[in-house]
Amino acid sequence: MKRKWGDTMSAIKIIPIYFPQFHETQENNEWWGKGFTDWVNVKSAGPLFEGHHQPRVPMNNNYYDLTDKKNIKWQVDLAKEYSIYGFSIYHYWFDGKLVLNIPKEHFLNNKNFDIPFSLNWANERWTTRWKGNKEKVILEQTHEPSIEKWEQHFLYLLDFFRDTRYIRINNKPIFTIYRPHFVKKLDKMVTYWRKRAIESGLEGIYIIAVKTHEFSNPHILDSFDACMHFQPHETVNSPKMLGKSTYIHRLLRLLPEGILNSLRKLRSKTKKTYRLYDYDTVCENMIDSPTSEGNKPVYNSMFLEWDNTSRYKERATIYQGCTPKSFENWLDKLCRKTLDSSNEEKLIFINAWNEWAEGTYLEPDIKNQYGYLEAVKRCAEKYNSDNR
């Protein structure tokens, strides 16, 4: 007997990361011009070499607006049709200021969006780095370490945590932090939130640290319940792929963020061309990665066709060789690895559902149509069947 979609006992739960940027905001109008969304970047991209898949064009020219609830309902129905368990939605909170909040609040307030979801705090400051000109901070993220700010943030999150669709582990709502090392007094903030969750009638919070590179503080995971490997970054920045330069990278990560930003500016001035990676090589190294870190479980992520030419033009990073067939091959291997792990839930995150400007998306385009979604469905059905 095949398990039903959304069954909490499903063996594998595939959760794409959801990017809520595709709608007009006051801030983007001020910074980039009236009507700006990432679709502007997507449409303006061009190929950098022969055979380069740019620009990316959504099927039926579906350059949607996520303030329109009908477009989110289309995404929900599409995800369910292709056996996707739920979404991990990027959450933008800048010391009390909300940005790009309309889509996730549509999820919260419309119960007919009957798909599980969780929040992933994208807690970086915003700069103009992707434009290639002099970098400027346009939205600061100070992570003010005060009970007042922690309480304000917690109260906003609480309505999401209480929703019956919200994704849980051990009956605790999961909350993902993209840059955990940026959070000041992280341990105290997490302790405060866990206490407030219990006081609010929850059984706690299951907090996941996103790992994009080796942590400069080896004890950072002490404050978390688990770690999520964000691909392809985590693998490309791993000692196995960095080789002899690993030590240098670790030293650089110890530098203050201001100095790191200055070094990034210098690199952007000297970098004149795009960087290429082989998709299969990265995935092969990813599959060999550990299933735990610091005695905490690791939830891995899968990626596809990463290519940020839309944003970085000739300074782009491009992963070559990804097709629906190769993606399915590596996703199948990751499903097996996840199933064999000791993780309490068999979660696989996918980067991403709709990161069009980064060139990594499951949504259908004119080239691959539904190929990547079909690959996900075959893997989900294979590993969520009693006949697996």
Side-chain angles (χ1 to χ4, degrees):
M1 177 181 176
K2 187 174 289 187
R3 297 184 178 94
K4 296 180 180 179
W5 170 90
D7 187 341
T8 58
M9 297 303 292
S10 294
I12 295 290
K13 295 178 179 178
I14 295 177
I15 304 173
I17 298 172
Y18 183 99
F19 184 51
Q21 198 270 1
F22 298 100
H23 64 90
E24 185 176 339
T25 69
Q26 177 182 346
E27 293 82 6
N28 278 335
N29 285 341
E30 293 175 0
W31 298 328
W32 311 115
K34 177 67 177 174
F36 176 86
T37 74
D38 249 16
W39 290 129
V40 173
N41 292 328
V42 172
K43 292 176 181 180
S44 68
L48 300 176
F49 50 86
E50 186 175 354
H52 185 200
H53 178 201
Q54 286 291 352
R56 306 301 179 100
V57 181
M59 182 179 282
N60 301 320
N61 291 307
N62 186 17
Y63 297 102
Y64 49 71
D65 178 344
L66 291 181
T67 60
D68 188 337
K69 290 180 283 189
K70 290 184 295 185
N71 291 324
I72 299 179
K73 185 61 166 64
W74 167 78
Q75 292 174 318
V76 168
D77 292 344
L78 185 66
K80 290 171 58 180
E81 180 181 353
Y82 286 94
S83 301
I84 284 168
Y85 177 76
F87 290 124
S88 173
I89 304 171
Y90 278 132
H91 162 64
Y92 299 90
W93 174 276
F94 296 84
D95 302 306
K97 179 178 176 60
L98 281 165
V99 183
L100 304 180
N101 54 301
I102 292 175
K104 69 174 178 285
E105 290 174 3
H106 279 335
F107 272 92
L108 178 65
N109 297 322
N110 290 272
K111 304 305 180 184
N112 64 327
F113 295 174
D114 53 341
I115 193 169
F117 59 87
S118 64
L119 298 184
N120 183 338
W121 184 19
N123 61 316
E124 296 177 300
R125 66 183 185 178
W126 284 5
T127 74
T128 60
R129 187 172 67 191
W130 62 271
K131 288 294 287 183
N133 52 12
K134 185 177 180 180
E135 183 174 347
K136 175 184 176 183
V137 176
I138 55 179
L139 194 54
E140 188 59 87
Q141 177 75 271
T142 68
H143 295 98
E144 180 184 320
S146 69
I147 288 178
E148 291 75 18
K149 288 297 182 183
W150 296 340
E151 176 72 4
Q152 184 185 9
H153 196 179
F154 175 80
L155 289 177
Y156 178 79
L157 296 171
L158 186 58
D159 285 341
F160 293 89
F161 291 164
R162 284 174 167 163
D163 193 282
T164 57
R165 296 163 296 170
Y166 200 89
I167 299 171
R168 287 169 165 75
I169 294 178
N170 290 336
N171 208 30
K172 300 174 183 178
I174 71 173
F175 186 69
T176 313
I177 301 180
Y178 184 66
R179 297 291 194 193
H181 50 290
F182 286 177
V183 181
K184 298 173 183 175
K185 296 187 179 179
L186 172 68
D187 56 340
K188 290 182 171 55
M189 184 193 78
V190 168
T191 298
Y192 180 79
W193 279 2
R194 294 191 196 280
K195 177 177 73 74
R196 290 291 291 114
I198 298 295
E199 292 171 351
S200 302
L202 302 173
E203 294 188 23
I205 310 176
Y206 193 95
I207 306 180
I208 302 174
V210 174
K211 183 186 177 192
T212 58
H213 51 73
E214 294 299 298
F215 291 124
S216 56
N217 176 4
H219 298 292
I220 197 166
L221 289 178
D222 293 348
S223 299
F224 291 87
D225 297 287
C227 175
M228 190 258 273
H229 284 181
F230 185 85
Q231 304 298 356
H233 301 56
E234 194 278 336
T235 295
V236 169
N237 291 317
S238 67
K240 187 171 182 180
M241 290 203 70
L242 287 175
K244 293 181 180 179
S245 63
T246 298
Y247 182 69
I248 296 174
H249 279 254
R250 283 178 172 169
L251 286 177
L252 288 173
R253 293 294 175 188
L254 295 174
L255 295 173
E257 191 62 21
I259 295 177
L260 281 175
N261 284 330
S262 297
L263 292 174
R264 292 186 186 112
K265 292 177 190 177
L266 179 62
R267 180 180 178 274
S268 68
K269 291 178 181 179
T270 58
K271 182 183 176 185
K272 301 298 183 183
T273 187
Y274 49 85
R275 178 182 296 182
L276 296 177
Y277 289 94
D278 179 70
Y279 179 78
D280 288 331
T281 299
V282 175
C283 288
E284 185 175 7
N285 282 276
M286 175 195 72
I287 291 297
D288 289 337
S289 64
T291 57
S292 66
E293 289 206 26
N295 296 317
K296 302 296 174 73
V298 166
Y299 294 100
N300 219 321
S301 62
M302 192 66 203
F303 73 104
L304 60 157
E305 287 202 62
W306 183 282
D307 177 354
N308 57 19
T309 302
S310 294
R311 288 183 179 155
Y312 291 93
K313 310 306 181 190
E314 68 279 356
R315 298 179 296 116
T317 300
I318 303 166
Y319 290 76
Q320 288 186 302
C322 180
T323 65
K325 184 177 180 180
S326 62
F327 168 76
E328 183 173 355
N329 171 59
W330 293 112
L331 179 59
D332 181 88
K333 293 179 186 297
L334 186 56
C335 285
R336 172 51 60 188
K337 177 181 179 178
T338 302
L339 195 63
D340 291 342
S341 74
S342 59
N343 290 1
E344 297 158 294
E345 291 282 356
K346 310 304 183 183
L347 309 183
I348 294 177
F349 295 90
I350 293 186
N351 188 17
W353 173 259
N354 61 339
E355 279 272 17
W356 285 86
E358 299 285 359
T360 183
Y361 49 87
L362 287 172
E363 290 181 332
D365 68 5
I366 62 171
K367 179 184 178 183
N368 295 299
Q369 301 186 33
Y370 295 91
Y372 287 108
L373 286 168
E374 290 165 352
V376 168
K377 185 171 185 175
R378 283 190 290 268
C379 286
E381 290 182 347
K382 176 180 178 180
Y383 288 98
N384 289 338
S385 168
D386 285 342
N387 296 320
R388 63 181 183 273

